[in-house]
Amino acid sequence: MVKRGPSGWLAWIVQRASALYMLAFLVAGLLWFLVDPPGSHPAWRARMAGAGTGIATAAFFAALLAHAWVGLRDVVLDYVRPRSLCGPVLAGLGLGLVAVAAWVLRILVTVRT
Amino acid sequence: MRLSIFRFDPDRDERPYMQDFEIELAPTDRMLLDVILRIRTLDDSLAVRKSCREGVCGSDAMNINGRNGLACVTPVAGLAEPVVLRPLPGFPVIRDLVVDMTRFFAQYDSIKPYLQNDEPPTGKERLQSPRDRARLDGLYECILCACCTSQCPSYWWNPEKFVGPAGLLQACRFIVDSRDRATAQRLDDLDDAYRLFRCRTIMNCTEVCPKGLAPSRAIEAIRSAMTRRPR
Ligand code: SF4
Ligand code: SF4
Ligand code: FES
């Protein structure tokens, strides 16, 4: 059975999985920073330009945005009344998050060039 | 004992008000309901629901000093005075402490609270192993008093879309029943943004259940059944 409307379980699992990934990313990043501090700005840039770091960082921001989307969506579904306003408000928030995603992507790409 | 009781008669009152009562406790006044029923002999316009007087029927759920409970199993000793009695929060008031449960039971009805199994029974009845039967413990005891649902903030915001803890506990009771064959449909039915997933794990429900049940754990069990279901 295919249901229409905002998802339930999918959104819930995305929220959990993204939280776990962000936690792992932050802990690993901090440890790396502590164990092997990049001494200078060029060294920091070089580290961030590595393919592995780039992918992990992009995934971090993807997780962050997905997590933010589910959270914002919950706030809107709970509190925005009349309900007919939920759709437009969600569309606006979604566009905002897509803009942030594009901005993050631009930064990540420029770091690598 | 001093009490402050919510009063509202839509035929007479423009708005609700709190009425103070003072009553000498009799030796027979063990539970709050005993006191309320004696107050009713002084003022028979006070509307309350009750039936079994022993925590079985679920009729006399109300908000007692800010916390939902059954008046008939709430000991008088230890209640802070004045005892403030209000109707169940989040439910439309019919009169005084009596609320309209229509929406609550509509949500209960929506989870199809009955065994679904079209297979012909093999013997006289559908048997369960003791282990399968044990999975219903903590679920079948619910008396549908609505203490939990009425104390759930998520239900206050979305009473017509969120099933609420009582209904979800009942849904879980049929989802885990080894004799039921509609598990997949039951899980599908709850899988949208509202019916189950408005629950924010605030756990007020488990905190107030007068039967000591844990609707939040039942909700958790449904979520994990969804996660484990074949896709
Ligand atoms: S779970 Fe507890 S509080 Fe909720 S309706 Fe059932 S008995 Fe009442
Ligand atoms: S755990 Fe869920 S159902 Fe229970 S009170 Fe909290 S939000 Fe409501
Ligand atoms: S009167 Fe039946 S539960 Fe209290």
Side-chain angles (χ1 to χ4, degrees):
Chain A
M1 184 174 66
V2 179
K3 276 207 182 179
R4 295 207 277 153
S7 64
W9 179 83
L10 187 65
W12 180 80
I13 203 80
V14 162
Q15 199 174 39
R16 262 83 202 149
S18 58
L20 283 179
Y21 179 77
M22 286 191 287
L23 182 70
F25 178 89
L26 288 175
V27 170
L30 273 175
L31 280 180
W32 193 13
F33 205 91
L34 286 176
V35 173
D36 178 19
S40 60
H41 184 242
W44 173 241
R45 264 189 94 98
R47 179 175 292 186
M48 289 308 289
T53 344
I55 293 172
T57 312
F60 170 80
F61 282 103
L64 180 68
L65 290 169
H67 196 83
W69 167 247
V70 177
L72 289 170
R73 199 193 69 154
D74 277 339
V75 174
V76 170
L77 293 184
D78 278 349
Y79 299 116
V80 171
R81 296 291 180 278
R83 256 181 230 288
S84 52
L85 280 181
C86 288
V89 173
L90 283 176
L93 283 172
L95 280 179
L97 289 179
V98 168
V100 174
W103 184 33
V104 168
L105 210 63
R106 222 191 77 179
I107 295 172
L108 289 178
V109 169
T110 44
V111 161
R112 298 177 58 78
T113 49
Chain B
M1 171 172 255
R2 284 176 303 123
L3 298 101
S4 170
I5 304 183
F6 177 100
R7 301 301 305 266
F8 181 58
D9 178 350
D11 292 336
R12 283 208 325 241
D13 305 326
E14 214 153 87
R15 59 184 65 223
Y17 61 98
M18 299 301 288
Q19 185 179 358
D20 292 332
F21 292 92
E22 184 141 17
I23 184 166
E24 194 77 30
L25 284 188
T28 46
D29 291 336
R30 307 292 295 250
M31 298 293 171
L32 178 61
L33 185 64
D34 302 329
V35 180
I36 297 173
L37 292 181
R38 282 210 306 119
I39 289 179
R40 236 181 26 170
T41 60
L42 308 175
D43 177 352
D44 62 4
S45 69
L46 176 66
V48 269
R49 268 198 200 108
K50 63 108 183 74
S51 175
C52 70
R53 299 184 72 169
E54 54 178 357
V56 171
C57 70
S59 321
D60 63 341
M62 60 184 71
N63 190 272
I64 306 158
N65 281 345
R67 192 189 155 96
N68 288 353
L70 297 172
C72 62
V73 293
T74 301
V76 171
L79 278 178
E81 291 184 44
V83 182
V84 180
L85 301 181
R86 293 174 186 276
L88 288 179
F91 283 50
V93 174
I94 294 176
R95 218 181 97 187
D96 301 338
L97 298 173
V98 174
V99 293
D100 183 353
M101 311 273 283
T102 312
R103 222 156 33 180
F104 173 79
F105 282 113
Q107 289 294 6
Y108 172 58
D109 186 53
S110 78
I111 62 104
K112 303 207 167 86
Y114 40 84
L115 213 61
Q116 295 181 60
N117 188 338
D118 290 335
E119 299 163 7
T122 46
K124 265 196 282 189
E125 55 185 313
R126 297 180 202 279
L127 296 174
Q128 278 190 303
S129 70
R131 210 164 133 211
D132 284 339
R133 166 59 190 76
R135 300 186 70 198
L136 306 181
D137 288 343
L139 301 170
Y140 79 91
E141 301 94 329
C142 172
I143 57 172
L144 290 167
C145 65
C147 283
C148 55
T149 297
S150 148
Q151 201 94 75
C152 170
S154 288
Y155 184 78
W156 300 340
W157 310 148
N158 289 291
E160 70 297 349
K161 289 182 155 230
F162 175 48
V163 172
L168 290 169
L169 180 112
Q170 295 284 345
C172 185
R173 181 245 169 277
F174 289 98
I175 287 168
V176 303
D177 193 311
S178 61
R179 299 160 297 180
D180 192 87
R181 292 289 170 271
T183 313
Q185 294 91 299
R186 291 182 187 280
L187 292 176
D188 276 345
D189 168 60
L190 294 175
D191 188 4
D192 70 6
Y194 290 100
R195 287 177 59 70
L196 169 79
F197 286 98
R198 277 309 86 199
C199 169
R200 306 257 75 89
T201 323
I202 303 161
M203 286 176 74
N204 277 5
C205 49
T206 301
E207 173 70 23
V208 299
C209 174
K211 303 300 282 183
L213 308 180
S216 57
R217 216 170 296 145
I219 293 168
E220 195 59 52
I222 302 178
R223 286 200 205 103
S224 84
M226 277 184 187
T227 308
R228 280 181 280 114
R229 89 187 132 165
R231 255 149 243 286

